[in-house]
Amino acid sequence: MVLNDPVGDMLTRLRNASRARHDKMVLPASNLKAQVARVLKEEGFIADFVVHEKKPQNEMTVMLKYGPDRTPVIQGIRRVSRPGLRRYVNTREIPRVMGGMGISILSTSRGVMGDQEARKQKVGGELICTVY
């Protein structure tokens, strides 16, 4: 299956699995998706992720995280920059999501990182998505 927006597909699968209260989800892997999952794990939005070596394409399993009464940790996840309309921001334009309660994920010249790390390193880039 050919996808025009693999990262958008990953975010949609995360949103749907979280709302359906699944414990884990499996999706096709790529380096960018693995880096986005790494940032989500570091920021506490997912429990863990594992990349499985498979032919013809690797797979990634993402373990979702829930609160004490089984409420999803990911309340909202939105793709900002998409293939048809890329959105680039400099350090001063990085948005604060939910007054700092959420995060923005950026693809920078120094790798994929969250908004706080990008501000600390004073680097901008492509605004991939926002999560809260």
Side-chain angles (χ1 to χ4, degrees):
M1 181 174 156
V2 177
L3 290 175
N4 292 332
D5 187 11
V7 175
D9 177 61
M10 173 190 174
L11 300 178
T12 299
R13 288 181 190 219
L14 267 170
R15 185 182 316 110
N16 292 342
S18 177
R19 287 184 180 165
R21 308 286 198 275
H22 291 296
D23 291 325
K24 63 182 179 178
M25 59 172 242
V26 179
L27 64 151
S30 72
N31 290 336
L32 181 59
K33 290 181 193 178
Q35 293 303 311
V36 170
R38 178 188 54 79
V39 172
L40 288 173
K41 180 182 176 185
E42 287 172 358
E43 297 289 339
F45 285 100
I46 61 173
D48 200 6
F49 73 97
V50 179
V51 177
H52 307 286
E53 303 291 326
K54 266 189 157 176
K55 295 289 180 189
Q57 182 171 2
N58 297 340
E59 287 184 344
M60 183 166 64
T61 303
V62 178
M63 280 62 86
L64 300 172
K65 193 172 180 181
Y66 296 96
D69 54 344
R70 196 86 174 139
T71 57
V73 172
I74 297 175
Q75 294 294 318
I77 188 165
R78 197 176 124 251
R79 179 83 157 123
V80 177
S81 180
R82 48 195 174 85
L85 180 62
R86 299 288 187 193
R87 173 130 185 256
Y88 296 95
V89 294
N90 63 29
T91 307
R92 294 176 304 281
E93 296 171 342
I94 298 173
R96 295 197 186 276
V97 181
M98 302 275 296
M101 297 299 290
I103 63 165
S104 298
I105 299 178
L106 290 94
S107 175
T108 69
S109 58
R110 298 182 187 163
V112 178
M113 60 182 72
D115 56 354
Q116 289 179 340
E117 183 67 24
R119 281 189 200 95
K120 191 166 77 174
Q121 293 189 17
K122 292 185 171 59
V123 65
E126 182 181 355
L127 185 59
I128 297 175
C129 65
T130 58
V131 186
Y132 56 91

